[in-house]
Amino acid sequence: MTTVYGLKNCDTCRKALKSLGDVTFVDVRADGVPVETLKLAFDRFEDAIINKRSTTWRNLTAEEQGNAPISLLLAHPTLMKRPLIEHNGVYYLGWNKDTQEAVL
């Protein structure tokens, strides 16, 4: 079972979905990400799960940027680096060569 967390209009997410085929897709803007999933992903990726290049990040105040990463992601799910892929109980972040080799 593979679940992809991302945005439906994200080019990288669309590439991953096209390559992966039959998966469960969760649009983080519309549906959010379950807290338990965020905790597990944060345990694996730590601060790398926050996309600090995003417009959403740049629009946050310095005080908001200092909040705990999981709190930030719950309040602003589009801050999550994408896609977050859960494949056979293991989490992968991004759609790079290592992720592709692991899930395809």
Side-chain angles (χ1 to χ4, degrees), residues 59-86:
N59 288 332
L60 295 176
T61 65
E63 182 180 329
E64 289 172 314
Q65 290 177 355
N67 289 339
I70 293 176
S71 298
L72 279 171
L73 291 170
L74 288 171
H76 307 281
T78 58
L79 277 174
M80 185 180 75
K81 188 168 181 168
R82 303 175 298 271
L84 175 64
I85 301 169
E86 180 186 1

Side-chain angles (χ1 to χ4, degrees), residues 2-10 13-14 17 23-28 31 83:
T2 302
T3 303
V4 176
Y5 298 90
L7 295 172
K8 64 181 176 184
N9 61 345
C10 170
C13 293
R14 284 193 282 218
L17 290 169
V23 298
T24 302
F25 177 71
V26 177
D27 188 324
V28 300
D31 305 320

